[in-house]
Amino acid sequence: MATTRPHLDLNIDGVVAELETLARISEAEPPVVTRVVFSEADQRARAYVKDLCSQAGLTITEDAIGNTFARWPGTEPDLAPVGTGSHIDAIPNAGLYDGCVGVLGGLEAIRVLQQLGFKPQRSIELVIFTAEEPTRFGIGCLGSRMMSGVLTPEQALALRDREGRGLEELRTAAGFSSSIESVALRPGRFEQFIELHIEQGPLLEEEGIDVGLVTHIAAPASMRILVEGEGGHAGTRLMPGRKDALAAAAELILALETAAKATGAIDTVATVGICDVFPGAVNSIPSRVRLETDIRDIDAARRDRVMETLRSACADISSRRGATITTELINADPPATCDKEILGALEDSAKAAGKSYKKMVSRAYHDSLFMARIAPVAMLFIPCRDGVSHRPDEYASPQWIGSGVHVLARTLAVLAG
Ligand SMILES: [Zn+2]
């Protein structure tokens, strides 16, 4: 059926060239991208992207930790802006699309609307978040965590990298010296926020779908569990009365798996990714085990029930086996539900653009998870080859990027009015 599908004159070759230029600003040899926050490469990458934003006539401000806001003023500049954006930092040995597609794709969406002569009522603001990746400080989404107030300035200032350098030292060395108290944004600072991102999973490509409309962002809770039993000689210490810490830990791992499956929800996942055994000798009964768990869901209450089940399993196994089991909650970020109005606008835009779409869950977490604390948010996914991400061979085709930018541009136009 021939419908009106106004053509958007996207310059996707230009976006790809910009992505490639950004990728060459790396601490590793191309094609490997490594760009840790506040490194020299991160500084150069920021300068490059800010320069592109300036060329597009955007007004740039930065906060005390380098979160960057590039604003296209609307005709009513006092109204809260519609935000879009993502991150440009990259874990060691990464590729060139994670985060960067959302930043440079967001910029292209703004540029194409400018070229159309569109005059948004609300300002449209491109956001480049500081340190989405946990590489330096061991905590993900530093910028958006602080913007949303989830991470307080005191907690942030206590962060240290592996060399023992703190956020204060690193941010000032990078040229960010305003008050760290001013990073947190008030709810309402953004009217809405949309993040364009590669899926980092295989579904869209497998199903041949142009874009994914993210309805929920799952969030992890992680718990550290220390099991203390009694060591001894593996030969002379007979089975009765043993307090084998690893055998107790094994029960715990299975109890967690059972608890996650028992919710009956496909979105509940639980993993024990770390199991440190002490003393770790073949002829010695393990006396101490440290487990680290990652429990995720899109439903916070359901996830918390799994955590509760795990805690009661700890108590039960401890009393049956005479081992001491202690738990420490490392973090429990709340999952986010995406905003219906934005999702509706994304859906309408996908239809108008002639792009196929499906609703889906983001099982990785993103800056949008934290932005959801202070603004209505949604995410727009594009396919990535074989679902590969966080690797140098991460790839999204120009066509996939074009679909994402097209739908984003239309949606921004609708929301900014
Ligand atoms: Zn990312």
Side-chain angles (χ1 to χ4, degrees):
M1 189 173 65
T3 51
T4 44
R5 252 173 223 163
H7 179 66
L8 284 192
D9 208 6
L10 294 172
N11 178 8
I12 294 304
D13 290 345
V15 176
V16 171
E18 288 167 359
L19 282 164
E20 287 169 351
T21 302
L22 184 54
R24 283 192 294 274
I25 307 176
S26 168
E27 296 160 56
E29 278 299 303
V32 175
V33 182
T34 298
R35 216 163 31 233
V36 179
V37 69
F38 300 140
S39 65
E40 188 264 340
D42 178 54
Q43 289 291 87
R44 277 194 293 138
R46 287 168 183 275
Y48 173 64
V49 174
K50 281 189 287 184
D51 187 44
L52 293 178
C53 291
S54 297
Q55 287 172 33
L58 309 185
T59 313
I60 298 170
T61 52
E62 293 165 306
D63 73 10
I65 58 165
N67 287 314
T68 302
F69 307 87
R71 175 183 279 234
W72 179 22
T75 54
E76 295 194 33
D78 293 339
L79 293 178
V82 174
T84 189
S86 195
H87 61 99
I88 59 167
D89 66 322
I91 64 162
N93 207 42
L96 63 153
Y97 302 91
D98 175 7
C100 300
V101 159
V103 172
L104 295 173
L107 177 59
E108 177 60 14
I110 290 173
R111 287 185 300 218
V112 80
L113 293 176
Q114 289 175 333
Q115 283 152 19
L116 279 175
F118 179 72
K119 297 261 182 278
Q121 187 188 22
R122 290 182 186 278
S123 301
I124 298 178
E125 210 163 293
L126 182 70
V127 185
I128 302 142
F129 294 98
T130 284
E132 193 270 346
E133 303 291 1
T135 314
R136 187 180 287 277
F137 294 115
I139 182 172
C141 298
L142 175 68
S144 51
R145 261 180 215 275
M146 290 194 69
M147 279 162 70
S148 64
V150 171
L151 187 76
T152 64
E154 300 71 48
Q155 290 168 325
L157 290 173
L159 296 172
R160 293 280 176 278
D161 70 5
R162 266 189 218 115
E163 281 88 55
R165 282 172 301 176
L167 177 62
E168 187 60 24
E169 176 191 340
L170 287 158
R171 77 175 183 115
T172 45
F176 305 112
S177 54
S178 57
S179 163
I180 202 145
E181 307 284 337
S182 62
V183 176
L185 301 179
R186 59 178 170 74
R189 161 69 174 78
F190 282 96
E191 180 71 9
Q192 282 134 338
F193 183 81
I194 311 176
E195 183 171 4
L196 171 68
H197 205 280
I198 56 169
E199 182 196 345
Q200 302 183 290
L203 301 179
L204 292 173
E205 187 193 23
E206 271 171 20
E207 297 172 32
I209 292 173
D210 297 320
V211 291
L213 313 186
V214 175
T215 57
H216 297 84
I217 307 169
S222 51
M223 206 194 280
R224 186 175 292 145
I225 304 176
L226 191 65
V227 184
E228 291 169 289
E230 231 169 64
H233 194 289
T236 60
R237 195 77 178 260
L238 301 178
M239 296 312 281
R242 275 199 189 191
K243 293 178 184 170
D244 182 326
L246 183 56
E251 274 203 57
L252 268 179
I253 294 168
L254 293 177
L256 177 59
E257 186 188 49
T258 305
K261 285 182 175 168
T263 69
I266 193 82
D267 296 313
T268 314
V269 289
T271 308
V272 178
I274 292 178
C275 176
D276 283 341
V277 181
F278 182 84
V282 70
N283 57 354
S284 179
I285 300 167
S287 60
R288 206 162 64 227
V289 172
R290 181 174 63 96
L291 301 177
E292 288 195 19
T293 67
D294 178 306
I295 304 164
R296 297 185 190 218
D297 209 320
I298 58 171
D299 180 325
R302 194 166 59 201
R303 185 193 66 189
D304 292 347
R305 284 198 295 277
V306 173
M307 310 250 294
E308 243 353 277
T309 308
L310 178 61
R311 284 195 189 92
S312 41
C314 288
D316 169 51
I317 294 164
S318 165
S319 70
R320 273 194 291 106
R321 289 181 167 271
T324 306
I325 304 180
T326 47
T327 61
E328 181 194 347
L329 187 64
I330 309 295
N331 69 287
D333 297 317
T337 301
C338 293
D339 179 68
K340 287 211 167 58
E341 188 193 332
I342 308 177
L343 284 169
L346 283 167
E347 199 167 348
D348 291 345
S349 299
K351 284 178 189 158
K355 305 297 176 189
S356 57
Y357 64 90
K358 70 176 276 182
K359 294 187 176 172
M360 59 195 306
V361 166
S362 171
R363 300 187 190 282
Y365 73 119
H366 299 282
D367 291 304
S368 291
L369 182 69
F370 297 97
M371 288 303 279
R373 307 292 286 268
I374 52 166
V377 303
M379 291 190 75
L380 177 62
F381 277 176
I382 58 168
C384 58
R385 189 177 59 200
D386 298 329
V388 164
S389 183
H390 283 189
R391 276 177 22 192
D393 56 338
E394 183 180 81
Y395 177 75
S397 74
Q399 187 198 333
W400 294 338
I401 297 170
S403 296
V405 175
H406 191 157
V407 175
L408 177 65
R410 282 177 177 277
T411 308
L412 291 174
V414 168
L415 297 179

